[in-house]
Amino acid sequence: MQARQAGETTLIVAQTWDEIHAVNAAVRQRLKGEGELGKDTKLVFYENRDLDNAQKRDVRFYEQDDYVYFIKKYGRFGKGELAKVEGASEQGLSLRKDGKVTTVGFKQSKHFVVARQRELELAPGDRLQMKFNGKSADGKYIVNGELVTVSRIAKNGKIAVVDDRGQRKTLAPTQRLANLGYAVTSYASQGKTVDTVLFSDSQNRAATNRNQWYVSISRARRKIKIYTSDKEALRENLLRLGERTLALDFMEANRKGGQLIQQGINHAQRAHEIIMQEARQQLLNKLRVAPPAPRQPIKPLRRTLQRHTPHQRRSRGISQSM
């Protein structure tokens, strides 16, 4: 509130979605109490579940009341359309549109994102984080992750927003793929620069490391405030680089077994590389052709002419007459 009242831009960075939702709700309640927001309107929004392509192809990741938002046109589903997920099986997703159910195979997962429906109280002055790439109802570009401020909510459901560069955009009722934008993840904070960053440390070891820490604190132009319940644990987590091999840490009970498995995988990959290198070398040796011998210059043929002296010609004539 102090930064907002001082006219400074502020970004809250949290580590888990549960924490982000809690922080968003708390900040909005405070702003509402201070009279910083306008009149509330209940609207239905769709929250991107941020599933990657592998997860979108796995039946186990789908939940009841999921929706699909198409970011690319596919079949009878246009770009920007929402469809209710009626079911998920090995054949793909059963999506309902206009009373008809269509099955979309998992191979088309790059055409859509998976979202859940949420009802939000929204008012002029609220912050939103957009969760799709595309164009607004008035043709302005929308970038996934950008933060905008609500300026007006029309009776027809359209929402007028202003981005951080001052550009005005209009969101159609079908473009409500967004979250409240007071708190964002470290990943979503990339590319943003503000006066003050408020970093909330949830003691989530998987989400706290040196790489993510640098991303978070480098967003601040003037100052950063850190909120943590355990300074020593935070300091220890920040010593880690955040490499993918740390996934083994999630299974402490099987840590040693996991390390042995990983070592075996590494050895197998290395052996495969060596075998392939040797096979390529043998193939090259078989196909290698010796270079041709250097060409020798061809000497021109010259006709040898016998030249006789006058004495020799007379001698030949005498011998022939005899």
Side-chain angles (χ1 to χ4, degrees):
M1 284 299 299
Q2 294 176 353
R4 186 183 180 101
Q5 292 170 354
E8 297 179 354
T9 54
T10 305
L11 184 67
I12 302 173
V13 179
Q15 296 176 305
T16 66
W17 277 108
D18 288 341
E19 188 178 14
I20 287 172
H21 292 322
V23 172
N24 277 332
V27 171
R28 191 179 188 280
Q29 184 178 8
R30 177 71 181 275
L31 292 173
K32 193 70 178 176
E34 296 288 339
E36 296 288 329
L37 303 179
K39 182 182 177 181
D40 281 345
T41 301
K42 277 190 177 182
L43 295 172
V44 173
F45 273 78
Y46 297 89
E47 179 187 78
N48 188 343
R49 293 185 55 204
D50 289 323
L51 301 183
D52 59 30
N53 276 324
Q55 292 170 331
K56 285 189 288 185
R57 296 182 181 190
D58 192 331
V59 176
R60 296 172 298 175
F61 283 90
Y62 288 90
E63 301 174 357
Q64 189 176 6
D65 297 328
D66 272 344
Y67 282 78
V68 160
Y69 182 91
F70 281 87
I71 55 178
K72 296 180 181 179
K73 184 182 184 305
Y74 177 73
R76 69 190 191 100
F77 299 97
K79 181 179 179 180
E81 286 191 351
L82 276 163
K84 178 76 168 61
V85 177
E86 295 292 332
S89 64
E90 296 300 327
Q91 286 70 40
L93 298 178
S94 298
L95 306 179
R96 180 175 294 278
K97 178 186 176 183
D98 300 332
K100 182 180 178 181
V101 176
T102 302
T103 299
V104 176
F106 289 126
K107 290 183 179 180
Q108 312 305 326
S109 61
K110 291 184 179 180
H111 288 80
F112 60 81
V113 297
V114 182
R116 60 167 62 95
Q117 191 180 77
R118 297 186 67 201
E119 192 174 64
L120 292 180
E121 296 275 1
L122 198 69
D126 266 324
R127 293 280 279 173
L128 291 175
Q129 182 190 24
M130 307 309 300
K131 297 297 290 182
F132 69 95
N133 291 312
K135 288 187 178 181
S136 62
D138 50 356
K140 308 291 179 56
Y141 282 102
I142 295 174
V143 180
N144 185 21
E146 75 170 307
L147 298 173
V148 298
T149 302
V150 177
S151 61
R152 188 173 65 89
I153 303 173
K155 291 183 180 180
N156 61 5
K158 291 184 178 180
I159 304 172
V161 299
V162 182
D163 66 18
D164 289 343
R165 295 170 297 176
Q167 187 177 44
R168 297 184 179 277
K169 307 174 184 180
T170 302
L171 303 178
T174 57
Q175 294 182 311
R176 295 180 189 164
L177 192 68
N179 306 323
L180 283 175
Y182 298 108
V184 300
T185 62
S186 176
Y187 178 81
S189 71
Q190 297 182 57
K192 298 174 178 59
T193 304
V194 295
D195 295 316
T196 303
V197 167
L198 307 178
F199 179 77
S200 175
D201 174 42
S202 64
Q203 296 300 307
N204 186 324
R205 188 170 187 267
T208 308
N209 54 67
R210 196 186 312 171
N211 297 344
Q212 294 300 325
W213 173 257
Y214 173 77
V215 171
S216 299
I217 65 175
S218 60
R219 303 305 98 200
R221 196 168 18 231
R222 297 182 58 187
K223 58 184 176 182
I224 177 171
K225 292 185 177 181
I226 304 160
Y227 300 88
T228 182
S229 59
D230 192 334
K231 291 183 180 180
E232 291 302 320
L234 176 61
R235 183 179 294 109
E236 180 181 335
N237 288 336
L238 294 180
L239 295 176
R240 299 186 297 107
L241 289 175
E243 298 174 349
R244 290 188 176 185
T245 52
L246 291 173
L248 294 174
D249 294 338
F250 290 123
M251 303 175 63
E252 289 295 335
N254 298 323
R255 182 175 58 84
K256 293 183 179 180
Q259 288 178 345
L260 291 174
I261 292 173
Q262 187 60 49
Q263 289 176 3
I265 292 173
N266 293 339
H267 286 309
Q269 290 176 341
R270 181 55 183 160
H272 175 73
E273 292 175 359
I274 294 174
I275 291 172
M276 292 303 296
Q277 289 176 357
E278 292 179 352
R280 283 194 294 267
Q281 188 61 46
Q282 292 177 4
L283 181 62
L284 289 175
N285 291 338
K286 290 182 179 180
L287 296 178
R288 186 176 292 123
V289 179
R295 297 178 63 182
Q296 298 293 334
I298 300 175
K299 296 181 179 180
L301 296 175
R302 295 181 180 179
R303 185 177 178 181
T304 304
L305 299 176
Q306 286 186 340
R307 294 182 179 180
H308 302 284
T309 61
H311 175 74
Q312 289 174 329
R313 285 196 295 269
R314 287 194 300 269
S315 299
R316 287 186 64 187
I318 293 171
S319 60
Q320 290 174 356
S321 61
M322 291 179 61

